[in-house]
Amino acid sequence: QVQLVESGGGLVQPGGSLTLSCTVSRYRLDWFPIGWFRQIPGKEREGVSCFSPRDARTYYSASVKGRFSISSDHTRNTVTLQMNNLKPEDTGRYYCGAIGFNDCPRLTNFGPPGPGTQVTVSS
């Protein structure tokens, strides 16, 4: 069973940056895709980003494209989400999760996540 632990969330002002990390075990990051999604109160779960090792491609939702960047380091079993120019609407709980190759571009059908990490963007 895949084990995931997210970290790096916090309180940041609009326009600020945060770096989220996801430590992964029992999952080959050099073989299989991994991604991030968020849960914002009152809204449906939203896929944010995905990294596919097959071709080292990255995928982003329209709401974060150009501001967020995902990277995967299989030697450290870590996936990172660099978030820049944060907006209040980015506030929510962020999770990482395993995902299939076909679902990675669509940012859907994530596997069971870790406990998540809270991101709050507020002045």
Side-chain angles (χ1 to χ4, degrees), residues 14 38-41 43 46 63-64 67-68 85-92 94 119-122:
R38 64 189 181 187
Q39 186 68 60
I40 297 173
K43 295 187 177 182
E46 178 189 8
S63 59
V64 308
R67 301 188 297 122
F68 290 12
N85 190 23
L86 283 161
K87 304 176 181 181
E89 51 264 41
D90 294 316
T91 294
Y94 285 69
V119 172
T120 303
V121 185
S122 175

Side-chain angles (χ1 to χ4, degrees), residues 41-96:
K43 295 187 177 182
E44 292 187 0
R45 175 185 292 188
E46 178 189 8
V48 172
S49 183
C50 181
F51 176 88
S52 178
R54 176 179 286 172
D55 48 11
R57 287 196 65 175
T58 57
Y59 301 91
Y60 301 94
S61 66
S63 59
V64 308
K65 194 171 185 179
R67 301 188 297 122
F68 290 12
S69 177
I70 189 172
S71 60
S72 177
D73 185 346
H74 71 272
T75 64
R76 297 174 56 223
N77 295 324
T78 301
V79 183
T80 299
L81 185 68
Q82 176 65 43
M83 307 188 297
N84 298 323
N85 190 23
L86 283 161
K87 304 176 181 181
E89 51 264 41
D90 294 316
T91 294
R93 196 157 189 89
Y94 285 69
Y95 304 87
C96 63

